[in-house]
Amino acid sequence: MNGDWRRLDKRAVPVAAVTMVGVAFLAGVPSAIGLSGISVGVALAWVLPGAVVVIAAGAGAAWLDWRFTRYQVGAERVEVRSGVLIRNRRSLQRDRIRTVDVTADPLQRVFGVVTVRIGTGEHSKGGTVQLRPVARATGDELRRVLLARVSTSVPADGRLATFDLGWIRYAPLSFLAPALGAAAVGGLFNVADWFGRVEGLVGWAIDLLAGLGLIGAIAVLVAVTLLIGTIGALGFWIEMWWAYRLDREAGGTLRVRRGLFTTRSISVEEERLRGVDVVEALGTRLAGAARVDAVATGLPTTVEDNKADQRTLLPAVPRALADRVAADVLREEVSPTAAVVLSPHPIAARGRRVRWALATVLAGELPLIVLGVLLTEVLLHVAWITAALALPIALVLAVDAYRSLGHGRVGGYLVTRSGTIRRSTVALQRRGIIGWTVRQSAFQRRAGLATVWATTAAGAGAYAIRDVGAETGLAAADAAVPGLLTPFLAPLPDSRPVTDETVAESTAAGEA
Amino acid sequence: MAGEPVATSAAPVQPGAVLLRPPTNPVDRRAVGWWTVNLLIGFAVPVVVLVVLGLLITPARFWLFTPAVVIAFAGLAAVLALPRWWFRVHRWEVTDTAVYTRTGRFWQEWRVAPLSRIQTVDTRRGPLEQRFGLATVVVTTASAKGAVTMPGLARDVAEEIAERLTVTTQAIPGDAT
């Protein structure tokens, strides 16, 4: 593998050709139907040559790409040369390579090829190269060779988690289900529009639901939408997570493999791991489940690489299992996210969340009220009915958001939790903290609160202890990374402190 | 903090009762001039555009002059108040172990970056900053959440800091993650 310049796999050309057949079919069928109004002959005369041109162009481009792309895995660097008119040279230093991800979409699987993405995790654009496609065996070999440089003294300890079909019960609880349902209904109207049958569709639905009255009809429509969405979410989950397994390989690399049609292999070097993020979306949290994401440096952070997708080590599973896998991933007895005793935050933080909830509802209702006063009373009724529904939900979420707040320290980890719709409990290795950012708005100052961000090279770049008591938060930060913040902390009576109002206010609040 | 605040303020501070002190150094006095000119330009451009349009398009004159006057007054207030305000709230400090900055007042922000985690140190000088003999020091760490910046420093001070930080950080091994 070392030294020689190699080509991508030539099967790139048939893969591109088949893809273009699909594109031509999708674009061609509606056009053909549209043109067949004139005559079938005219429709075919326009569409068939068009399809041939599209397919030939796609295959030709793929061939040119294949012809002009070379890559080399040298002792020091990986180099890729590509480009027909403008020659590109990408080169990655081998000791900077952090991730080698292997994916294969269904078409690639049929042809026995894979896409290999090699990343250094640098935020700049030159941090990733993509080899598309190479033979499946070559992909595995690249992954092994490029990640092997890490000390092989760490033994593989095998499987950390294995696919369980029972986890699928959490799939419909995500926000994906209603979104997919709505998308399906939208898609139905779109197809009806191609055939000019929208009125027919609406009329058919009205006839069907006429006996139910307005409320009944709406309930049935919502139920059908949700049902479709649920089926979609189940299918989506199976495609994403089928044959999931999480392994620790020799050298301590964590490897996730999963996927039904598109297979994915995602590797996270252990020495890049700075912690875990246990994520509980509202629905899955109510069902007692949680997802585990890696907090690691060098994972792709560009927009085109789906972030959450790359970081997820474990899909939503029962909370106890999530904690166990998190513990195994971090090589701890008990996951710090479970072992920690979180200190709650001052009650003033609840007031802030309740005010945000009220403001959000008000902002939503204001246009209705204004238009209602100006135009028609109906909107006023809509306003109070929606407010009566939204207000309790908003208040419950606000209180829940407050109860979710917390921070703590356990062993080598700083643990911080926040959020309600997406509650996230982050355990961050204290040695992975590379600085602090303390923010305090005028409102927070009056309430004696501050938000303390631990900055890190990993994951989102910074994790917050939100709306913590100003003194408590700083003390927690100082204790988490001893010495870093200490020179900048001022004891209360000293030279006019920056936040002297904070103390006065929080003292007053504490006594009130 | 419960009990009598008067008594506690004289007594030794309780553990846990901690605050951030302001960084030692203010920005250079000339930064007030730099920010003033910056704001003047920022506000002058829309005002001039609106006035010129108002002179050319007679029927819409009222609708062009009114916002121009509003923007001009807002700009005047900002130009008079903000630079002095910023001068008071922006502070910085470089110790043997860390870079420490404070910005803002309504949204106050303190940032600490240890020297051992600094990746690059740059000085930046825009054309206006050059005029005022100023420079901005930009300190980047491996965090994706952005660099620590120290704007409005005298040029020689900025260069000296950048030099010192570069030497210190190069002496520390590892890739600062």
Side-chain angles (χ1 to χ4, degrees):
Chain A
M1 165 142 288
N2 275 358
D4 48 335
W5 284 95
R6 307 165 127 225
R7 282 189 170 172
L8 299 177
D9 199 285
K10 203 169 184 179
R11 281 169 282 187
V13 178
V15 168
V18 176
T19 309
M20 293 324 277
V21 168
V23 169
F25 184 79
L26 281 180
V29 167
S31 332
I33 289 168
L35 287 171
S36 63
I38 306 169
S39 91
V40 177
V42 172
L44 290 182
W46 279 99
V47 170
L48 282 183
V52 169
V53 168
V54 165
I55 294 162
W63 182 81
L64 279 178
D65 200 36
W66 170 81
R67 174 80 180 68
F68 285 92
T69 304
R70 298 269 199 293
Y71 69 96
Q72 180 195 39
V73 179
E76 298 279 314
R77 19 193 0 111
V78 174
E79 276 191 80
V80 180
R81 295 183 184 182
S82 62
V84 180
L85 294 177
I86 304 164
R87 299 289 287 161
N88 289 314
R89 287 180 64 165
R90 278 270 175 93
S91 119
L92 301 182
Q93 231 172 302
R94 273 186 71 173
D95 60 2
R96 285 190 169 266
I97 291 171
R98 302 300 177 223
T99 57
V100 179
D101 292 339
V102 182
T103 57
D105 61 40
L107 200 58
Q108 289 181 325
R109 285 176 68 186
V110 168
F111 283 95
V113 293
V114 294
T115 300
V116 176
R117 211 171 278 121
I118 305 167
T120 61
E122 276 155 49
H123 300 301
S124 59
K125 206 166 159 274
T128 327
V129 299
Q130 185 170 286
L131 301 175
R132 191 173 75 180
V134 296
R136 191 181 295 149
T138 316
D140 286 343
E141 193 190 351
L142 280 169
R143 203 188 72 81
R144 223 178 36 250
V145 168
L146 292 176
L147 292 179
R149 95 205 128 63
V150 203
S151 66
T152 40
S153 58
V154 186
D157 51 69
R159 189 128 311 175
L160 302 183
T162 319
F163 181 75
D164 179 349
L165 189 57
W167 299 341
I168 200 171
R169 64 182 182 274
Y170 302 119
L173 298 172
S174 73
F175 291 96
L176 192 63
L180 282 177
V185 172
L188 186 66
F189 273 95
N190 214 342
V191 173
D193 192 34
W194 286 353
F195 296 93
R197 298 275 164 78
V198 175
E199 283 102 37
L201 184 70
V202 172
W204 173 77
I206 289 174
D207 288 345
L208 205 66
L209 300 169
L212 296 168
L214 182 63
I215 305 281
I218 289 175
V220 167
L221 283 179
V222 169
V224 167
T225 307
L226 284 180
L227 184 70
I228 295 170
T230 302
I231 293 166
L234 294 176
F236 198 73
W237 188 91
I238 287 178
E239 152 60 11
M240 289 282 283
W241 296 105
W242 189 259
Y244 159 87
R245 53 230 194 267
L246 172 65
D247 295 293
R248 188 179 341 254
E249 304 192 317
T253 300
L254 293 164
R255 183 180 185 193
V256 176
R257 275 173 292 179
R258 59 191 175 80
L260 180 64
F261 298 119
T262 299
T263 54
R264 306 160 181 88
S265 155
I266 296 155
S267 307
V268 181
E269 260 185 276
E270 191 166 37
E271 64 178 52
R272 298 280 123 196
L273 198 67
R274 295 289 178 273
V276 294
D277 186 356
V278 176
V279 182
E280 300 158 286
L282 188 58
T284 49
R285 172 151 62 101
L286 293 175
R291 182 181 93 205
V292 179
D293 284 3
V295 175
T297 65
L299 289 185
T301 46
T302 45
V303 185
E304 71 262 31
D305 300 304
N306 187 348
K307 288 189 209 170
D309 204 42
Q310 298 281 321
R311 284 182 194 156
T312 303
L313 293 177
L314 182 70
V317 302
R319 177 72 204 236
L321 177 62
D323 281 331
R324 212 212 70 222
V325 171
D328 287 346
V329 162
L330 296 171
R331 293 185 191 274
E332 300 287 336
E333 281 291 307
V334 185
S335 168
T337 53
V340 72
V341 180
L342 293 172
S343 340
H345 291 183
I347 201 82
R350 190 176 69 186
R352 275 165 67 76
R353 273 152 190 77
V354 168
R355 283 192 288 279
W356 293 340
L358 295 178
T360 309
V361 173
L362 187 67
E365 301 294 348
L366 211 55
L368 282 178
I369 296 171
V370 170
L371 290 176
V373 169
L374 292 176
L375 300 174
T376 161
E377 221 168 74
V378 177
L379 288 177
L380 286 179
H381 289 297
V382 173
W384 75 256
I385 292 168
T386 50
L389 288 172
L391 209 55
I393 296 174
L395 288 176
V396 166
L397 288 179
V399 172
D400 182 62
Y402 167 69
R403 288 159 57 103
S404 290
L405 288 177
H407 71 279
R409 187 159 47 90
V410 56
Y413 297 89
L414 173 74
V415 182
T416 169
R417 192 178 70 184
S418 66
T420 172
I421 302 211
R422 178 189 182 278
R423 187 167 86 171
S424 146
T425 313
V426 176
L428 187 63
Q429 285 173 357
R430 285 154 59 193
R431 64 174 181 83
I433 297 173
I434 61 169
W436 294 100
T437 298
V438 180
R439 292 208 185 111
Q440 193 178 46
S441 71
F443 299 117
Q444 282 179 310
R445 189 149 50 235
R446 272 178 47 196
L449 304 173
T451 295
V452 178
W453 295 82
T455 51
T456 168
Y463 291 93
I465 308 175
R466 289 179 196 278
D467 278 345
V468 65
E471 301 97 285
T472 329
L474 290 173
D478 190 35
V481 186
L484 174 53
L485 213 51
T486 322
F488 310 116
L489 296 173
L492 288 187
D494 267 14
S495 60
R496 189 188 170 277
V498 185
T499 51
D500 45 5
E501 304 96 310
T502 315
V503 187
E505 296 277 349
S506 68
T507 309
E511 284 163 356
Chain B
M1 289 270 80
E4 290 151 57
V6 184
T8 49
S9 70
V13 180
Q14 292 174 352
V18 285
L19 292 163
L20 288 166
R21 66 172 172 76
T24 46
N25 309 303
V27 299
D28 195 275
R29 188 77 226 179
R30 284 170 289 184
V32 175
W34 169 47
W35 284 324
T36 307
V37 175
N38 247 339
L39 284 172
L40 271 177
I41 294 173
F43 279 101
V45 169
V47 170
V48 169
V49 169
L50 285 169
V51 167
V52 169
L53 284 177
L55 291 176
L56 295 175
I57 311 167
T58 4
R61 204 165 260 184
F62 175 78
W63 296 107
L64 292 166
F65 279 170
T66 316
V69 170
V70 171
I71 294 173
F73 271 103
L76 197 65
V79 165
L80 289 177
L82 285 181
R84 279 163 191 76
W85 178 255
W86 289 337
F87 178 74
R88 276 173 44 203
V89 297
H90 283 59
R91 296 180 79 89
W92 61 275
E93 183 175 345
V94 178
T95 70
D96 292 339
T97 55
V99 176
Y100 177 41
T101 65
R102 185 190 82 185
T103 52
R105 178 71 192 176
F106 194 78
W107 282 281
Q108 205 151 23
E109 180 173 293
W110 299 260
R111 302 188 68 163
V112 179
L115 299 196
S116 59
R117 307 295 192 141
I118 290 173
Q119 286 192 323
T120 62
V121 183
D122 302 312
T123 54
R124 226 169 29 197
R125 283 185 293 146
L128 263 182
E129 270 181 296
Q130 289 191 30
R131 272 286 166 118
F132 283 91
L134 296 170
T136 299
V137 176
V138 183
V139 176
T140 49
T141 66
S143 166
K145 281 288 173 188
V148 178
T149 58
M150 293 181 274
L153 307 188
R155 189 186 306 168
D156 48 338
V157 175
E159 268 157 19
E160 191 228 304
I161 291 172
E163 176 70 29
R164 207 173 107 207
L165 288 176
T166 308
V167 170
T168 323
T169 51
Q170 273 171 356
I172 300 167
D175 65 352
T177 57

